[in-house]
Amino acid sequence: MSDIKLVDLLTLEKIEDGLFRGQSWDLGFRALFGGQVMGQAIAAAQLTLPEGRVAHSFHAYFLLPGDAKKPVVFDVQTVRDGRSFSTRRVKAIQNGRNIFYMTASFQQPEVGLEHQFAVMPDVPMPEDLPRDTTFDDTDPEKLSTRMREAIAYHKPLDMRSVQQIDPVNPGVHEPKRYIWMKAEEALNGNVHLNQAMLSYASDYHFLSTAIQPHGVSVRDKNLIMATIDHAVWFHHPFDFDDWVLYCAESPFSGGSRGLVRGQFFNRQGKLVASSMQEGLMRKI
């Protein structure tokens, strides 16, 4: 499992026009990783576009938990192809049931009024931070066989948290998190692939930001966490095989739901993408 590549996960099999199949990775979570479904859904939509159009946003709803042991079928509906914009609606299917919907919008790149009010926080550079470990992979003997196998599927992304939080005994922290991340494989400036990979990565450590003020462990068996909806806006082209800083914060939680918002900055401080998510946070 040493040659696992994220580009392979995001390369879909065409079944027929508008219908594609993607394989699944078991990352050791309770259900199929939501980032996989989003990355593959945007990749499926990209395969149906007029040449030259790139994503500027998508909005997705997660309807049912996915099964990480089974592939996912993506049904892409062409809603509109205009002179500048294209709209696609993507349905993800497992076992004959809809588990996910996405509406994505694409644009022919053009020049217009431009400003950036967002400021990248002053944090250590990724070269000065250790790589995050996943599921205590420094001591694999503590893990089940399934978890040991799952570790390999986290390796295609290099993630380095600015503030390290113990997942078992997290303590109480402000609801914000900064993570440097990049793909471990060369993307060669492929805009579609960069966008699909960032979509995949945007679900990592996102909703968990909302539980940081509560001192609750993400491994608490009495805690149910699941994404309800997720959106991403792409602002500028970027290279995800170079470092991107993911800045996440949670302005609110209540009613067994948490809201998180994120900003992606490249190394030069340019805001390249933004994200929002609401998810279930229920103590049982």
Side-chain angles (χ1 to χ4, degrees):
M1 300 177 68
S2 60
D3 196 30
I4 293 174
K5 294 183 178 180
L6 193 49
V7 66
D8 294 335
L9 184 72
L10 299 174
T11 300
L12 307 180
E13 172 194 357
K14 182 176 180 180
I15 301 173
E16 58 179 82
D17 287 348
L19 204 61
F20 307 90
R21 178 164 43 225
Q23 298 306 307
S24 293
W25 285 357
D26 185 351
L27 272 64
F29 301 140
R30 295 180 182 177
L32 181 64
F33 178 48
Q36 174 194 311
V37 186
M38 291 189 292
Q40 289 178 330
I42 201 73
Q46 289 166 346
L47 293 171
T48 70
L49 292 172
E51 187 174 354
R53 300 204 172 175
V54 297
H56 70 86
S57 71
F58 70 75
H59 302 257
Y61 275 91
F62 291 81
L63 308 178
L64 292 169
D67 187 342
K69 295 180 175 59
K70 295 183 178 180
V72 184
V73 172
F74 295 91
D75 185 354
V76 182
Q77 176 189 358
T78 298
V79 178
R80 178 177 182 269
D81 282 322
R83 288 183 295 178
S84 301
F85 290 87
S86 293
T87 305
R88 297 293 184 269
R89 189 168 296 130
V90 185
K91 179 168 58 177
I93 304 165
Q94 277 191 326
N95 300 317
R97 304 174 73 189
N98 301 337
I99 65 169
F100 167 96
Y101 278 107
M102 171 189 285
T103 300
S105 185
F106 303 81
Q107 182 184 13
Q108 197 75 25
E110 57 185 272
V111 177
L113 299 175
E114 186 172 320
H115 79 273
Q116 176 177 319
F117 189 67
V119 178
M120 185 173 79
D122 184 12
V123 299
M125 289 292 103
E127 294 83 1
D128 299 323
L129 297 169
R131 181 169 182 156
D132 290 0
T133 56
T134 305
F135 298 123
D136 298 323
D137 60 357
T138 55
D139 191 359
E141 296 304 317
K142 294 181 179 179
L143 303 175
S144 66
T145 300
R146 177 187 173 223
M147 288 299 186
R148 286 198 297 270
E149 293 175 350
I151 287 171
Y153 289 118
H154 293 268
K155 299 297 186 184
L157 285 183
D158 188 346
M159 292 184 290
R160 305 188 183 193
S161 296
V162 172
Q163 62 273 59
Q164 297 291 329
I165 296 176
D166 185 339
V168 178
N169 299 297
V172 174
H173 301 269
E174 286 185 317
K176 62 181 180 181
R177 184 187 298 241
Y178 304 138
I179 305 174
W180 287 103
M181 52 175 58
K182 74 179 184 71
E184 287 282 50
E185 52 213 90
L187 305 182
N188 302 312
N190 185 315
V191 176
H192 283 176
L193 191 53
N194 276 281
Q195 290 187 333
M197 285 202 179
L198 185 140
S199 302
Y200 174 94
S202 69
D203 199 31
Y204 259 105
H205 303 302
F206 202 23
L207 184 58
S208 58
T209 307
I211 68 169
Q212 288 179 191
H214 306 287
V216 179
S217 169
V218 293
R219 301 185 189 178
D220 187 335
K221 294 182 179 179
N222 295 317
L223 176 67
I224 298 176
M225 296 182 67
T227 303
I228 299 171
D229 60 337
H230 188 110
V232 172
W233 295 263
F234 299 99
H235 309 311
H236 292 285
F238 57 91
D239 295 312
F240 201 57
D241 49 7
D242 193 7
W243 291 105
V244 172
L245 180 66
Y246 194 12
C247 303
E249 65 177 20
S250 174
F252 168 84
S253 68
S256 293
R257 303 184 318 279
L259 181 70
V260 283
R261 58 191 178 199
Q263 296 177 315
F264 292 87
F265 296 91
N266 65 14
R267 294 176 70 108
Q268 293 72 42
K270 177 177 283 189
L271 182 69
V272 298
S274 300
S275 58
M276 290 282 292
Q277 183 181 108
E278 188 175 47
L280 177 69
M281 294 169 29
R282 177 181 291 154
K283 286 282 285 183
I284 57 174

